[in-house]
Amino acid sequence: MLMKRLSLALVPAVLVCAAAPALAANLKDIFRAARLHDMGYRQAGASYREARTLGPEARSAFLPHISAQANTTYNDLTSSILGGEAGFIFPSGHFTFNANGYGISVTETLLDIRALYAWRAVGATIHAAHQRYALAQSNLVLTVSAQYFAFLLARDDLRLRRAEKRALRAEYQSALRSFHLGRAPITDANEARARYEAVRAATLAARNAVRLARARIERMTGRPADHLWPLNLHHPLLRPHAGTLVTDEARALRDNLVLRSARFEARAAAQSAHAAFAAHYPTISAQAGYSYNRADNGEFGFGTVLRDKTIGLYLTLPIYQGGELSAKSAHASAAAFQAHVAALRVERRVQFDVRQAFFNVRNDYREIAALAAAKKAARVALASERLGMRVGVRNNVDVLRAEQAYYRSRRDFARATYDYLLSRLELKAAVSHLTAGDIAELNALLQPPGAPYAPSHGHRPPRRMLRP
């Protein structure tokens, strides 16, 4: 189940500089490094900051627009009056002069329904970007946890393969000795060798899986990841919460970040459609202005000084623009309907994801209880085989097989524990979202490599870790 969740396309790990310090890797340190290095998370933050800049731009449509202008020009003018009688008061001739002026104007929108809907659309867009930013952090928490547990599972699997390799090598050597002594046919030795060669190949694959799992972590963090802390499997796990599936689904329909983002995007599309249709409506604006212009001379032989003060209301009503407004309105309406359908699709997917995660949590918790019993039985069987070898009723191959079964039960128990912890994260992500606090809770379940088991609060580990 864990490997299915991590069925991502394998991409090459980034080249890590040898001088970069290695992570003394617990889960919290890896998450901090990934939050600084992960491009998906940083891109979501950049997109949110970009979306926030749209707010002042849309709000500017309702605020006064003030502009000032000034000019100065040099004029070289030749004037000829044609058809004038003798003594005509406006002379002809060549004139050079300067003209200067300045002015200021203030425009205030009084009625613009299109701008109002556009501003609402921008607000919904900003909210959608904020939800996507929080979703990026939630996804980063889930990805870091999944990759970390994938490495731990790969390392456990490598240990199991090495134990199997030791057991099957001893079995092959025993079968070969029996064949040379004439007590067993050659087919037994050949079968033992075939099993041994198969587990050798599996060991190489498991070693490569550990390298790839570490490379994925290094790709997320941009730094070498060494000495990864293992999970304290003796730590008692939390029971699944007592909430019902109906309650979780209701919370998810209210708090799920993917659904909230889709709904905000649908709201933004609907407001954009209203804005496109409102382009048919009239707009009313008020404008006031003052201008001063001075010309030292002119074509009529004298200069002028003009001062102009204006104030007025302007009504603009679009009548026909070649069908452009109707076409834009139809396109925006279709886009709004598409966003609405997409939000409904996300809602159904969220409901399914909550159900799947809810059932996975319950199933994984029960599976841990069963595998804990299986691990205990395998440990008892291994102790019995060792005792039998000391009294002479069992041989080394029997002990190695029991050791192999014990390692397999430990690996399966660890895998079920990883699955349970990830299922809890997936359920919380499906219902609402994940934060750095969830990483801190998981990090508390880890212990430094090689450290002796030290239960919380100094108590001894309970004899029964789970009570399903």
Side-chain angles (χ1 to χ4, degrees):
M1 184 183 301
L2 177 61
M3 302 310 295
K4 291 182 179 179
R5 294 192 182 102
L6 299 173
S7 57
L8 302 175
L10 182 60
V11 296
V14 295
L15 296 177
V16 181
C17 179
L23 289 175
N26 60 38
L27 192 58
K28 186 182 295 185
D29 293 334
I30 287 182
F31 176 72
R32 289 172 179 169
R35 190 161 53 181
L36 295 175
H37 184 75
D38 184 77
M39 289 296 103
Y41 178 72
R42 295 180 64 180
Q43 182 179 0
S47 298
Y48 175 54
R49 287 190 293 272
E50 178 189 6
R52 290 179 60 182
T53 62
L54 299 176
E57 179 182 351
R59 190 169 56 250
S60 65
F62 306 100
L63 300 177
H65 291 193
I66 304 174
S67 61
Q69 57 276 346
N71 63 85
T72 179
T73 59
Y74 173 76
N75 298 269
D76 189 334
L77 177 64
T78 299
S79 175
S80 298
I81 304 300
L82 302 178
E85 298 179 355
F88 191 63
I89 61 173
F90 297 116
S92 300
H94 180 259
F95 307 95
T96 59
F97 60 93
N98 288 328
N100 304 286
Y102 60 86
I104 187 171
S105 62
V106 180
T107 303
E108 172 67 29
T109 300
L110 302 180
L111 177 63
D112 192 343
I113 301 177
R114 185 203 62 80
L116 176 62
Y117 284 123
W119 177 66
R120 292 177 178 176
V122 167
T125 300
I126 294 175
H127 284 298
H130 182 263
Q131 301 303 313
R132 288 193 296 269
Y133 184 38
L135 178 63
Q137 176 174 271
S138 180
N139 290 339
L140 186 62
V141 171
L142 189 59
T143 300
V144 167
S145 303
Q147 297 288 5
Y148 192 95
F149 289 149
F151 172 80
L152 296 184
L153 179 60
R155 190 167 61 183
D156 293 341
D157 187 64
L158 178 60
R159 291 172 180 171
L160 169 64
R161 297 304 179 184
R162 287 172 175 171
E164 290 179 339
K165 182 180 176 181
R166 292 194 301 267
L168 292 177
R169 180 172 55 192
E171 183 179 355
Y172 168 60
Q173 292 173 350
S174 176
L176 195 60
R177 285 194 301 267
S178 298
F179 167 71
H180 289 311
L181 295 175
R183 294 199 298 263
I186 188 61
T187 55
D188 291 349
N190 291 337
E191 291 177 0
R193 180 178 180 181
R195 291 194 295 270
Y196 172 66
E197 296 297 338
V199 79
R200 280 186 61 191
T203 303
L204 293 176
R207 186 180 299 123
N208 186 61
V210 171
R211 294 193 186 102
L212 292 178
R214 179 181 282 109
R216 292 189 185 100
I217 295 177
E218 292 173 349
R219 178 171 61 89
M220 286 191 306
T221 60
R223 298 168 56 187
D226 297 328
H227 311 296
L228 300 182
W229 291 22
L231 182 67
N232 186 354
L233 296 176
H234 299 286
H235 199 287
L237 298 177
L238 296 176
R239 290 176 176 270
H241 65 85
T244 63
L245 179 59
V246 176
T247 303
D248 287 340
E249 286 184 346
R251 288 185 57 200
L253 294 179
R254 184 186 69 244
D255 299 332
N256 182 271
L257 292 181
V258 180
L259 182 56
R260 287 172 62 89
S261 176
R263 286 174 174 172
F264 277 121
E265 290 175 354
R267 186 181 303 175
Q271 295 297 328
S272 296
H274 291 315
F277 184 77
H280 296 86
Y281 297 158
T283 59
I284 301 176
S285 61
Q287 183 174 355
Y290 172 79
S291 64
Y292 171 85
N293 291 279
R294 175 188 177 91
D296 295 333
N297 205 338
E299 58 181 328
F300 302 118
F302 54 86
T304 58
V305 174
L306 299 177
R307 292 181 177 86
D308 186 21
K309 300 176 183 178
T310 61
I311 186 170
L313 293 177
Y314 296 86
L315 172 66
T316 303
L317 177 62
I319 297 177
Y320 182 70
Q321 281 74 35
E324 178 185 3
L325 299 183
S326 298
K328 288 184 177 180
S329 178
H331 179 269
S333 298
F337 180 74
Q338 188 274 338
H340 174 70
V341 173
L344 293 178
R345 183 168 176 259
V346 171
E347 180 178 327
R348 295 181 182 180
R349 188 183 67 193
V350 165
Q351 288 179 319
F352 175 79
D353 290 344
V354 169
R355 292 187 176 216
Q356 184 179 30
F358 184 87
F359 293 138
N360 284 340
V361 168
R362 295 298 178 90
N363 179 74
D364 292 343
Y365 187 78
R366 295 187 179 98
E367 186 179 7
I368 288 176
L371 290 175
K375 185 179 69 169
K376 181 179 179 180
R379 184 174 65 247
V380 172
L382 176 59
S384 300
E385 293 293 340
R386 287 173 176 171
L387 178 62
M389 186 177 69
R390 285 198 295 269
V391 300
V393 297
R394 290 289 187 270
N395 55 32
N396 186 46
V397 173
D398 295 328
V399 174
L400 289 174
R401 287 177 178 174
E403 182 181 359
Q404 175 185 354
Y406 174 61
Y407 275 111
R408 184 179 291 109
S409 67
R410 287 180 56 184
R411 191 272 312 271
D412 293 341
F413 176 77
R415 187 262 310 159
T417 304
Y418 304 148
D419 283 344
Y420 173 70
L421 295 176
L422 283 178
S423 295
R424 288 182 62 90
L425 289 180
E426 289 178 350
L427 178 58
K428 185 176 180 180
V431 171
S432 57
H433 62 281
L434 301 174
T435 63
D438 298 290
I439 287 288
E441 291 181 4
L442 287 181
N443 196 70
L445 303 179
L446 304 179
Q447 61 182 359
Y453 171 63
S456 302
H457 311 296
H459 299 300
R460 297 181 59 188
R463 298 180 62 86
R464 294 187 62 188
M465 303 307 299
L466 297 170
R467 297 186 181 90

